[in-house]
Amino acid sequence: FALARGLGDVYKRQEYIIQFVENYGGIAYTNQKQKEYAKKAIESLNTYEDSDVKEALINFVEFVISRTK
């Protein structure tokens, strides 16, 4: 019983932290930064000739920034 009550407290704190981060623009800032770094990563690959490996790396970067969970 005490463990279940303790988990409720954890979930409340987790929700508070998520709300705090959202309210102060943390999520938007992080999304902006991930797009900037993704662009830099893809641009750095442009120094290499086209290949299956290069294409896979670009696809991986695009996958990472487009996923929602």
Side-chain angles (χ1 to χ4, degrees), residues 7-21:
L7 287 177
D9 291 342
V10 168
Y11 293 129
K12 286 179 187 176
R13 281 182 279 191
Q14 183 181 19
E15 278 300 312
Y16 173 80
I17 291 168
I18 291 169
Q19 194 64 45
F20 179 87
V21 171

Side-chain angles (χ1 to χ4, degrees), residues 21-53:
V21 171
E22 287 177 352
N23 287 345
Y24 287 93
I27 303 297
Y29 175 79
T30 301
N31 287 334
Q32 173 192 349
K33 285 304 205 183
Q34 81 172 354
K35 289 176 185 173
E36 289 175 18
Y37 283 115
K39 182 180 177 187
K40 287 180 183 181
I42 291 171
E43 286 173 353
S44 72
L45 292 171
N46 287 333
T47 61
Y48 298 100
E49 292 183 25
D50 290 342
S51 68
D52 291 341
V53 173

